[in-house]
Amino acid sequence: CEVRSADHMLVVGVACQALYSIFEELPVPHPGWDDPNTRGLGFADQLREMRLAMLLLIMGQCNSAKDPSSAYAALEVVGGEAFFLGLLEDPDPRIAYHASVFLLESITSTVAAQNGRLASFHAALRDLVVRAQQTADERLLENPYFTVVGVLPAFGEHP
């Protein structure tokens, strides 16, 4: 008998479509929405927190499936990897960061499964290492956002 934590049961107990619908309906807050006179979280901050929570739950749904077909189904509900690619342009850097973490994990697992893409992935990583050395910018390798943006062109994708 497998023991599951309460947070895992929460993630798998909510339909991915519901999480995605909530995420899509939440407006993207703009800097002008912040009220400097608000104590605690203002309206814009609350929206940012809700959007981040929904994204993390969606990612949990996509990652928590026991079999690949369930994970693929959850991913397809949100529009596949295109959904996460679009989030790389989100004005909330936390959303872009977590989307890049998801994409990096997805790219590495896909590359591992498809040997033909392995060479292009390694070449893209080598190019990224060289660029990081030339510019003395280790963020290119340490931050998943910069890593994903650096390797996407090797797969014909752009953020």
Side-chain angles (χ1 to χ4, degrees):
C1 178
E2 185 177 344
V3 177
R4 300 218 179 236
S5 65
D7 58 339
H8 178 79
M9 291 188 302
L10 173 67
V11 169
V12 297
V14 178
C16 193
Q17 179 64 48
L19 298 171
Y20 176 68
S21 295
I22 293 168
F23 181 86
E24 286 296 303
E25 292 298 320
L26 289 170
V28 176
H30 300 286
W33 291 11
D34 290 316
D35 181 3
N37 299 322
T38 304
R39 295 174 74 94
L41 288 179
F43 179 67
D45 290 331
Q46 290 175 24
L47 284 174
R48 286 184 194 98
E49 293 299 318
M50 286 186 279
R51 290 182 77 240
L52 181 60
M54 290 301 107
L55 177 62
L56 293 173
L57 288 170
I58 290 167
M59 291 170 56
Q61 280 277 357
C62 293
N63 289 330
S64 69
K66 283 189 166 200
D67 61 278
S69 64
S70 296
Y72 181 77
L75 185 59
E76 286 305 302
V77 163
V78 300
E81 288 182 357
F83 168 70
F84 292 97
L85 283 168
L87 293 177
L88 293 176
E89 301 288 326
D90 198 273
D92 185 342
R94 300 171 310 161
I95 298 282
Y97 175 83
H98 287 289
S100 68
V101 168
F102 183 87
L103 285 168
L104 190 58
E105 290 172 0
S106 178
I107 289 169
T108 54
S109 66
T110 301
V111 165
Q114 299 172 350
N115 221 5
R117 295 177 76 185
L118 191 58
S120 61
F121 181 70
H122 283 281
L125 283 178
R126 275 193 303 277
D127 291 345
L128 195 59
V129 168
V130 168
R131 193 172 344 138
Q133 290 170 337
Q134 290 172 342
T135 61
D137 189 358
E138 66 272 356
R139 292 177 309 159
L140 294 174
L141 303 172
E142 293 174 351
N143 186 315
Y145 175 82
F146 294 120
T147 303
V148 166
V149 170
V151 299
L152 281 178
F155 297 98
E157 301 283 352
H158 299 281

